[in-house]
Amino acid sequence: MRGLATVPNYVIMQPTTLCNLDCEYCYLPLRAADHRMPVAVAEAVAADVNRWAGPGFSVVWHGGEPLAAGRDHLAALVAPFSDSITHHVQTNATLIDDAWAEFFLTHRFRVSVSVDGPPARNDLRRTRGGRPAYDRIERGIATLRRHGIDFAALCVVSQPTDGLATELYQYFLGLGCDVLGLNIEETEGVNRRSNAFAAGPVQRFWAELTTVWRADPRIHVREIEWSLRYLAAVLDGTADDLLPRQLDPIPTIGHDGSVHVLSPELAGFNDPRYGDFAAGNVRDRPLAEILVDAPARGWVPEFLRGVEACRASCPYFGFCGGAHAANRYFEHGRFDGTQTNHCRNSKIRLLEGVLDHARDHGPRPAERTY
Amino acid sequence: MPETTARDQLSARIDALGPAVSDLLTEADGARTDRDEDAVERGLAAWNHFDNIPTFYNWNNRPR
C-alpha cells in the first residue's frame, strides 16, 4: 500500500455543523453552531460522485448531528445524487421519530446510531442543557425497531475495564443492532481527554469481548471481524496482500464545501504550519481535480512519509496500515511520527487481545516436531 | 532489521496458535452465515463495509 488513490469509494458529507447534544468527549469544534451545507455544494459533489458511483458507492452523512439539518434540507442535499448511491447516516438517534423513519425508508438510508451501552455508560452524553440524553437515544432506536429498520451501532469506550466488554455486548444483543463498532476514546479535535491507557486493561477488554461474542455471535463486531480477517491471511500466507494498493482518500466535504482527505477530524482547525488542512473547496474546483492534487499538497506528503515510517518500524503494520492522520496530528503535533495511543488501544491491543482469547480458549498451540 | 524480526515474531506467534485461531475462524464463518451477511439486501454500515472502511471510524483503508 503506497500513496493516495485519486478516486474514492465513498464520501462523507456534513449537512450541518450543529449537534443537539454536547457529549463530553466529542472532537467537533463547531457543534454549537448551525452552519448548513448549501444545496450548491451537494450538487458540486454529486457531479463527480455520480460518475464514480458503482455498486456500493456510499455517501455518509455525518456532522454534527445530520438530522439537525431537518428533513426538507437533507432531502434537498440528497436529491442531486443518483439512485445508485447508498446513503448512510451516523446519528445520535435523539431526533428519530416516525417521520424520520419514513424518510430513511423512502431514501433507502442505512442507519448507524451512536450509543455507549446501558444508561450509566452514556453519562458523558448530555443535552446542551446538561441533562442525560439516554432516554431520547433509546426512544429513537425504538422507533427504528418499530419501523423494521435495521441499524448499526457505534460505541465509545471511555475507560476499558474488566467486565465492561461483557456488559456492553449483552446490552447490544438486547438493543438489536446488526453491526457494532467500538471506539476507544481518542484524544483529537477539541477533545483533550487523555487516552493513554495501560496496555493490560485494554488488551483484556478485547480478549473478553472476543470471548463473550464467540459465545453468542449474533452481532457482527467490526473489530473482531477485522482481526479475524488479518489472522486468516497470516495463516494462509496472504497477509502481505491484505492492505489496499493505495489509501482511499476518504474525502469529507464540510458544510462550506471544504474538502478534507483521510481524517475529517482535521476540519475546523487551523495550524501555523499546515493552515486549515483543507485540500480545496468544491465551490472553487471539482472534487475530482482536488483529489488528483491532494497527495502532493499541504500535510499529506508528510503523512505519507509517516505511513512509510510505520511500515519500516512497526510489526503490526500489516494489520493496521499505519497510524491515522488525525491521531498523528492531535497526539504528536505532526504527521510523520509512528505509533499513537490510538494505535496501541485499537489496533495493537486489539489484535493481541484476540490472540489471548484464542490461546486461552482453543486447542493447544502447534507443537514442535523436533 | 529489528522491525522485520519483530514482524516475523508476530507472525510466528500467530502460526503457533494456528489450531486455536483456525477454530475461531471456522466458528466466525458459521456465524456470518447464520447472520446472513451474504444477502445483497442486508445493509451494513458504510463504516463497516468489508471493502469500504473509513478511517473516520478509525480503521485503515481497504480496497474495493
Side-chain angles (χ1 to χ4, degrees):
Chain A
M1 182 182 74
R2 293 184 193 277
L4 205 63
T6 56
V7 176
N9 290 301
Y10 55 89
V11 299
I12 300 173
M13 299 282 280
Q14 185 186 46
T16 177
T17 54
L18 179 68
C19 187
N20 60 320
L21 297 185
D22 191 19
C23 304
E24 193 160 327
Y25 54 63
C26 184
Y27 61 86
L28 288 168
L30 300 175
R31 60 188 188 269
D34 188 11
H35 300 302
R36 294 199 183 183
M37 175 181 283
V39 175
V41 168
E43 289 172 340
V45 175
D48 281 317
V49 164
N50 291 344
R51 286 192 301 108
W52 293 329
F57 192 104
S58 299
V59 173
V60 183
W61 298 92
H62 198 94
E65 165 52 51
L67 307 192
R71 276 184 297 281
D72 290 345
H73 191 64
L74 190 56
L77 296 177
V78 167
F81 293 93
S82 85
D83 290 341
S84 64
I85 301 293
T86 302
H87 292 277
H88 299 251
V89 66
Q90 183 66 39
T91 174
N92 61 37
T94 61
L95 299 176
I96 296 176
D97 57 12
D98 291 333
W100 270 113
E102 288 301 325
F103 179 98
F104 296 146
L105 291 168
T106 299
H107 296 282
R108 292 178 289 116
F109 265 57
R110 308 259 176 93
V111 182
S112 177
V113 301
S114 302
V115 57
D116 298 343
R121 299 296 178 184
N122 287 271
D123 197 48
L124 300 178
R125 315 282 309 286
R126 297 266 165 175
T127 67
R128 296 213 160 271
R131 291 185 297 279
Y134 184 81
D135 286 350
R136 296 176 59 181
I137 296 170
E138 187 179 44
R139 193 164 60 239
I141 295 173
T143 302
L144 293 175
R145 285 198 297 260
R146 193 166 63 249
H147 286 264
I149 297 172
D150 292 338
F151 62 95
L154 270 181
C155 170
V156 173
V157 177
S158 294
Q159 181 76 54
T161 53
D162 294 345
L164 178 60
T166 300
E167 176 188 335
L168 291 177
Y169 190 70
Q170 294 299 333
Y171 168 82
F172 284 106
L173 280 173
L175 195 71
C177 59
D178 299 294
V179 183
L180 173 63
L182 296 112
N183 294 341
I184 295 186
E185 186 179 335
E186 296 164 73
T187 303
E188 63 184 359
V190 295
N191 181 25
R192 307 315 300 166
R193 288 154 51 102
S194 172
N195 65 338
F197 300 118
V202 178
Q203 192 159 320
R204 289 197 302 273
F205 173 85
W206 293 119
E208 181 185 325
L209 180 70
T210 308
T211 300
V212 67
W213 166 83
R214 189 175 183 177
D216 188 352
R218 278 180 284 153
I219 300 176
H220 172 115
V221 178
R222 176 183 66 177
E223 280 70 23
I224 294 174
E225 294 294 327
W226 287 333
S227 302
L228 296 182
R229 196 181 196 199
Y230 177 72
L231 292 175
V234 171
L235 292 183
D236 69 17
T238 60
D240 288 343
D241 302 327
L242 200 56
L243 291 174
R245 289 179 299 282
Q246 291 181 303
L247 283 162
D248 193 305
I250 312 175
T252 294
I253 291 79
H255 67 97
D256 58 356
S258 59
V259 178
H260 289 79
V261 295
L262 297 168
S263 283
E265 298 90 342
L266 297 170
F269 289 90
N270 224 293
D271 182 278
R273 185 171 179 216
Y274 305 111
D276 65 359
F277 300 100
N281 194 301
V282 296
R283 293 177 303 182
D284 304 325
R285 299 173 68 202
L287 178 61
E289 283 185 20
I290 293 171
L291 294 182
V292 167
D293 295 342
R297 288 189 56 166
W299 56 272
V300 179
E302 185 178 283
F303 165 75
L304 292 175
R305 289 195 295 276
V307 173
E308 294 310 308
C310 284
R311 185 197 311 274
S313 65
C314 186
Y316 299 89
F317 182 83
F319 176 51
C320 163
H324 298 303
N327 299 127
R328 293 170 184 269
Y329 174 72
F330 288 111
E331 289 190 32
H332 297 161
R334 53 185 302 130
F335 293 94
D336 52 2
T338 53
Q339 271 191 26
T340 64
N341 287 331
H342 180 67
C343 298
R344 286 182 276 273
N345 291 333
S346 297
K347 309 289 183 73
I348 295 170
R349 295 301 133 221
L350 164 62
L351 186 65
E352 293 292 347
V354 174
L355 287 174
D356 285 350
H357 163 85
R359 178 197 64 205
D360 296 339
H361 293 85
R364 291 162 59 84
E367 294 186 349
R368 298 182 183 205
T369 57
Y370 62 89
Chain B
M1 291 179 64
E3 296 76 22
T4 302
T5 301
R7 198 168 302 149
D8 291 342
Q9 289 174 350
L10 174 60
S11 294
R13 281 197 294 123
I14 294 170
D15 285 337
L17 286 170
V21 172
S22 294
D23 278 0
L24 179 56
L25 292 171
T26 300
E27 290 179 32
D29 278 342
R32 288 185 204 102
T33 300
D34 290 344
R35 294 193 302 263
D36 197 20
E37 285 186 359
D38 293 330
V40 172
E41 299 78 19
R42 185 172 186 79
L44 292 178
W47 49 257
N48 197 56
H49 193 293
F50 286 112
D51 296 325
N52 199 10
I53 299 169
T55 58
F56 179 51
Y57 296 104
N58 305 308
W59 202 254
N60 53 302
N61 278 252
R62 299 288 185 184
R64 173 153 289 286

